[in-house]
Amino acid sequence: MAGSPLVILDNAAIARPGGPTILRGVSWTIRGGESWAIIGPMGCGKTTLTEVVFGRHGVREGTIAWPLLAQLREAGWNVSWPAEGMQIVSFKEDSRLFSYVED
């Protein structure tokens, strides 16, 4: 599975359920073997984006696809939701390590 697409967002608009759109035009392909860190200030949409990737929320516009589900099912896994095949290694507050001011 290394290198093959696992999650594909294409020109997606993302919002919290019942809330306003907080991210627009998100195009992102997550591939096997990659590691990602989603960083940004509090309230910018990191958690909502993660929940969309995990299949807990849909997108308002654009598309999202989970090739990961087909790959897991072909390998004999009984999965219904993307979150069943993904793991978060670390989810913690380390904003003191980053500067959000552009130079």
Side-chain angles (χ1 to χ4, degrees):
M1 262 195 293
S4 61
L6 304 177
V7 180
I8 303 168
L9 282 157
D10 185 28
N11 201 29
I14 296 170
R16 293 178 180 94
T21 299
I22 56 173
L23 298 169
R24 294 183 188 281
V26 177
S27 292
W28 183 22
T29 300
I30 301 171
R31 297 179 180 280
E34 295 180 337
S35 298
W36 288 87
I38 301 171
I39 62 170
M42 227 174 178
C44 73
K46 299 178 303 292
T47 300
T48 304
L49 174 60
T50 303
E51 290 172 343
V52 167
V53 168
F54 274 69
R56 295 183 182 132
H57 305 307
V59 296
R60 289 222 171 133
E61 298 170 9
T63 60
I64 185 165
W66 295 274
L68 169 66
L69 289 178
Q71 293 171 15
L72 290 174
R73 289 173 183 149
E74 287 174 14
W77 291 53
N78 183 17
V79 293
S80 300
W81 296 96
E84 294 173 346
M86 297 183 210
Q87 296 178 354
I88 294 177
V89 175
S90 176
F91 189 58
K92 64 179 185 172
E93 172 63 34
D94 274 335
S95 62
R96 64 181 170 67
L97 299 174
F98 303 101
S99 172
Y100 301 109
V101 178
E102 292 185 34
D103 294 329

